Amino acid sequence: MLNQTSVTEFLLLGVTDIQVLQTFLFVVFLTIYFVSVTGNGIILMVVISDAKLHSPMYFFLGNLSCLDICYSTVTLPKMLENFLSTHKAISFLGCISQLHFFHFLGSTEAMLLAVMAFDRFVAICKPLHYPLIMNHQLCTQMAIIIWIIGFFHALLHSIMTSRLNFCGSNHIHHFFCDVKPLLELVCGNVELNQWLLNTVTGTIVMGPFLITLISYFYIILYLFFKTHSCSMLHKALSTCASHFMVVTLFYAPVVFIYIRPASGSSMDQDRVIAIMYSVVTPVLNPLIYTLRNKEVKGALSRVIRRL
C-alpha cells in the first residue's frame, strides 16, 4: 500500500509557533478534550443504561457520542503531545493512519446526521407509521451501512495519498495529517487526488447535507400547516432545534474548508476552521443535547440516583 517515498516522517507545525502560548494552549485543549470525552461518555452510558432511551432517536444519539469521542481522540492527543515537545514528528504510517481515521469518523458523522434528520422526519410527519418504519432492524442496518461507507471512503483517500511521492519538505502546516496539507508536499501530479477530494468527499458531505435540509423543509411545512396544538409544535421544534444546531456546527466549517477552491486556501484559516469541526463541535454536542433535552436530563438524574 505504501509508496517508495524518501520521506519517513512528517513534522506537524501545529496551531501556532509562538512558544509562550504553547503551555496555555496545552491546558485549554486538554480541558476541551477531557470535557468532550466525559460529556459524550456520559451520554453514551445513559443511552445504554436507561431503558426509556432505547428508541431510534437515542440509538443514533449514542452513535454520535461514540463518534465524537473517537473523532476527538484522532487529533487531540497528538496535538497535546506536540505542545510539550520540541520534535513534533509523526511517522509516515502514523500520518496516513491519522488521515484515515479522521476521514472515516468525519464522513460517518456526516451521514449519521442525515439519518438522524430522517428519523425526526418520520417521527413528526409519519407518527402512526414511525414504529413500523424505524424498527430496530432498520436502525441497526442504517448504522452499520454508514459506518462501512465511511470506512471505505477514508480507505480510498489513505491508499491514494500513501502512494504519492513526498520527495521535498516534510513540514505539514497543520496540527494533524489531512489530505489537503499533504498534497502541498507532493512532488508530482495530484490532480486525481484533488478530484477525489472534491468529488467523493464533496458528495459524502453535500449528499447527507441536502438530505438533512430536505427533511427539515418537510418537517417545517408539516408543523406549520398540519399541527394545530401549540404544545406539540413547541415540543417538535425544540427537539429539532437541538439536532439542527449540531448539524450547523458540523457542516458550516466542513463545507467551507473542503468545498472552496484550493487556490483560495489559507493555511492559518484552515487550521482555525479545522479546530471548529474537529475540536469544538464534539465538545458542544453533549451540551446541546443535555441542556435542551428533558428526557436525557431525566435519565441522567436517574443514573446519578442509582450510583
Side-chain angles (χ1 to χ4, degrees):
M1 173 179 145
L2 301 179
N3 71 319
Q4 298 298 316
T5 180
S6 59
V7 174
T8 59
E9 67 176 18
F10 293 102
L11 297 178
L12 295 166
L13 298 186
V15 178
T16 179
D17 56 0
I18 303 174
Q19 289 299 319
V20 293
L21 290 176
Q22 301 290 329
T23 305
F24 171 74
L25 290 175
F26 173 82
V27 174
V28 170
F29 284 106
L30 179 62
T31 304
I32 290 173
Y33 182 55
F34 176 77
V35 173
S36 176
V37 172
T38 304
N40 284 294
I42 289 171
I43 287 184
L44 190 57
M45 178 192 69
V46 168
V47 167
I48 292 172
S49 63
D50 196 295
K52 291 186 177 180
L53 299 185
H54 291 176
S55 65
M57 176 181 172
Y58 296 106
F59 169 73
F60 295 127
L61 179 57
N63 272 264
L64 180 65
S65 294
C66 182
L67 276 169
D68 281 338
I69 291 171
C70 299
Y71 201 39
S72 299
T73 303
V74 169
T75 56
L76 273 171
K78 187 62 181 176
M79 181 202 289
L80 292 170
E81 178 191 332
N82 287 342
F83 280 135
L84 304 179
S85 173
T86 54
H87 187 59
K88 307 174 189 298
I90 183 170
S91 68
F92 188 89
L93 182 59
C95 186
I96 297 300
S97 298
Q98 190 180 54
L99 180 154
H100 172 80
F101 283 102
F102 181 80
H103 280 268
F104 167 36
L105 298 165
S107 57
T108 302
E109 182 160 338
M111 291 181 284
L112 179 63
L113 291 173
V115 170
M116 292 173 77
F118 174 74
D119 172 68
R120 292 299 83 208
F121 163 75
V122 178
I124 294 170
C125 301
K126 308 284 183 181
L128 297 178
H129 298 93
Y130 181 74
L132 181 64
I133 297 173
M134 299 301 293
N135 58 70
H136 177 72
Q137 183 180 3
L138 179 64
C139 292
T140 305
Q141 287 173 346
M142 286 195 293
I144 291 171
I145 288 169
I146 61 176
W147 281 82
I148 290 174
I149 293 173
F151 178 83
F152 283 103
H153 161 252
L155 188 63
L156 173 67
H157 281 304
S158 57
I159 290 175
M160 293 302 295
T161 305
S162 69
R163 293 173 62 85
L164 295 170
N165 184 25
F166 300 92
C167 59
S169 171
N170 66 340
H171 291 67
I172 299 176
H173 294 268
H174 217 311
F175 60 90
F176 68 94
C177 291
D178 198 4
V179 177
K180 286 181 75 174
L182 279 171
L183 293 183
E184 299 286 333
L185 311 180
V186 174
C187 302
N189 193 314
V190 295
E191 286 185 5
L192 177 59
N193 296 76
Q194 194 66 55
W195 181 84
L196 288 172
L197 186 65
N198 293 335
T199 306
V200 179
T201 303
T203 301
I204 291 286
V205 171
M206 294 308 297
F209 183 57
L210 290 174
I211 291 171
T212 302
L213 289 181
I214 292 169
S215 297
Y216 276 104
F217 175 74
Y218 279 105
I219 286 171
I220 291 168
L221 285 181
Y222 179 86
L223 289 174
F224 282 101
F225 291 105
K226 298 287 185 179
T227 305
H228 304 292
S229 168
C230 290
S231 60
M232 281 183 63
L233 179 63
H234 180 267
K235 183 180 179 181
L237 286 175
S238 179
T239 303
C240 291
S242 298
H243 181 253
F244 198 73
M245 285 171 67
V246 171
V247 169
T248 304
L249 283 169
F250 179 82
Y251 275 111
V254 171
V255 169
F256 185 79
I257 201 169
Y258 283 107
I259 303 304
R260 65 185 175 140
S263 59
S265 297
S266 161
M267 288 298 179
D268 291 335
Q269 198 175 52
D270 282 359
R271 279 180 285 195
V272 172
I273 296 167
I275 288 171
M276 282 298 299
Y277 67 78
S278 65
V279 178
V280 177
T281 301
V283 79
L284 290 179
N285 286 353
L287 294 175
I288 291 170
Y289 277 108
T290 53
L291 293 177
R292 296 185 57 87
N293 192 304
K294 291 181 180 179
E295 290 180 315
V296 173
K297 286 192 286 187
L300 182 57
S301 64
R302 288 193 293 272
V303 169
I304 294 172
R305 284 198 298 269
R306 289 200 298 267
L307 296 176

